[in-house]
């Protein structure tokens, strides 16, 4: 069975601190995709990144970076120099399987609070 | 205008009532999904559809039904609402199973 675990329920940091959100996944599929979504206080879900199982290169986008390690089944998300606008719930999700249904398995979410 | 539109945005109703949540999209995507979000549980898949004639149950389909009226419209119904169906409901679309899903703004449903 597929599973995504975000062990950090809530994280609180002060503005400008770096923060890493952990994501650990379980799957027996050899081909799969991992995603991160952001849910700001307004409630909508915003897509941040997609990574496929064959691409272990780390990715950087501005203050955001992602570290994918198949050896530890982890796909961690780091925000550098956090800002108050980064306050949100962040979800890691997994999609995979030969059937290509697109079904997403979400983690429980990590609530990030960035204080000024 | 939003690409994925959910109506209503908020709904309060009583136990036993029939409720329909509607989702429409202008993205031209074939795949549509319904999820519910509960605190501490993330999002869980209720139903998904590949096209008008292809509808599938998700992880938590009991107590729900869906209708795909057209490529652009996917409705979720609660035939007889119960309090533990109180949640935030999201509709999503994607072009393929490998592409990111695009979510509507959600419907906050409260069942008293």
């Amino acid at each position: 069975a597929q599973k995504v675990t975000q062990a950090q329920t809530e994280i609180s940091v002060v503005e400008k601190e770096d923060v890493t959100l952990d994501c650990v996944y379980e799957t027996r599929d050899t081909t799969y995709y991992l995603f991160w979504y952001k849910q700001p206080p307004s409630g909508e879900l915003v897509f941040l990144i997609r990574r496929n199982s064959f691409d272990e290169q780390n990715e950087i986008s501005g203050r955001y970076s992602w570290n994918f390690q198949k050896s530890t089944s982890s796909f961690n998300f780091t925000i550098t120099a956090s800002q108050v606008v980064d306050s949100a719930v962040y979800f890691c999700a997994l999609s995979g399987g030969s059937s290509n249904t697109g079904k997403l398995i979400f983690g429980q979410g990590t609530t990030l609070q960035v204080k000024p | 205008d939003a690409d994925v539109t959910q109506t209503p945005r908020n709904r309060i109703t009583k136990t036993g009532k029939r409720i329909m949540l509607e989702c429409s999209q202008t993205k031209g995507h074939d795949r549509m999904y319904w999820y519910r979000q509960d605190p501490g549980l993330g999002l869980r898949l209720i139903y998904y559809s590949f096209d008008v004639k292809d509808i599938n149950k998700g992880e938590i389909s009991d107590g729900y039904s869906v209708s795909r009226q057209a490529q652009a419209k996917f409705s979720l119904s609660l035939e007889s609402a119960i309090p533990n169906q109180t949640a935030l409901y999201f509709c999503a679309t994607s072009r393929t199973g490998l592409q990111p899903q695009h979510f509507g703004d959600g419907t906050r449903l409260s069942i008293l």
Side-chain angles (χ1 to χ4, degrees), chain A residues 1-2 6 16 19 25 30 42 48 62 68-69 81-82 90 107-108:
Chain A
Q2 296 182 319
Q6 295 178 253
K16 297 185 182 178
V19 58
Y25 63 92
T30 55
S42 51
L48 295 178
F68 175 34
Q69 292 194 336
S82 61
Y90 291 87
Q108 304 91 320

Side-chain angles (χ1 to χ4, degrees), chain A residues 39-51:
Chain A
Q39 185 177 42
S42 51
E44 73 272 23
L45 282 160
V46 179
F47 165 72
L48 295 178
I49 190 172
R50 179 188 72 163
R51 174 67 71 217

Side-chain angles (χ1 to χ4, degrees), chain B residues 19-112:
Chain B
I19 307 298
M20 178 179 285
L21 308 183
E22 298 187 347
C23 177
S24 63
Q25 53 118 343
T26 59
K27 300 190 74 67
H29 291 168
D30 286 328
R31 295 173 183 240
M32 298 188 74
Y33 307 81
W34 275 104
Y35 295 88
R36 66 175 277 177
Q37 181 181 359
D38 298 277
L41 295 179
L43 280 77
R44 292 178 293 167
L45 182 65
I46 306 172
Y47 271 94
Y48 61 103
S49 171
F50 291 165
D51 63 38
V52 174
K53 295 181 180 179
D54 189 350
I55 295 176
N56 304 275
K57 292 182 177 180
E59 181 186 358
I60 52 165
S61 59
D62 287 348
Y64 301 96
S65 63
V66 291
S67 173
R68 185 82 183 265
Q69 301 95 324
Q71 187 211 33
K73 295 180 182 288
F74 192 35
S75 301
L76 176 72
S77 294
L78 288 68
E79 295 301 325
S80 180
I82 56 177
N84 74 2
Q85 291 177 312
T86 293
L88 181 57
Y89 289 83
F90 284 100
C91 174
T93 75
S94 68
R95 186 175 302 283
T96 71
L98 305 179
Q99 295 297 317
Q101 293 181 17
H102 299 266
F103 287 80
D105 288 340
T107 294
R108 192 169 295 279
L109 178 62
S110 296
I111 300 165
L112 307 178

Side-chain angles (χ1 to χ4, degrees), chain A residues 6 8 36 40 52 81-82 87-88 99 102 104:
Chain A
Q6 295 178 253
Q8 304 151 307
W36 276 95
N52 74 53
S82 61
S87 296
S99 58
L104 286 175

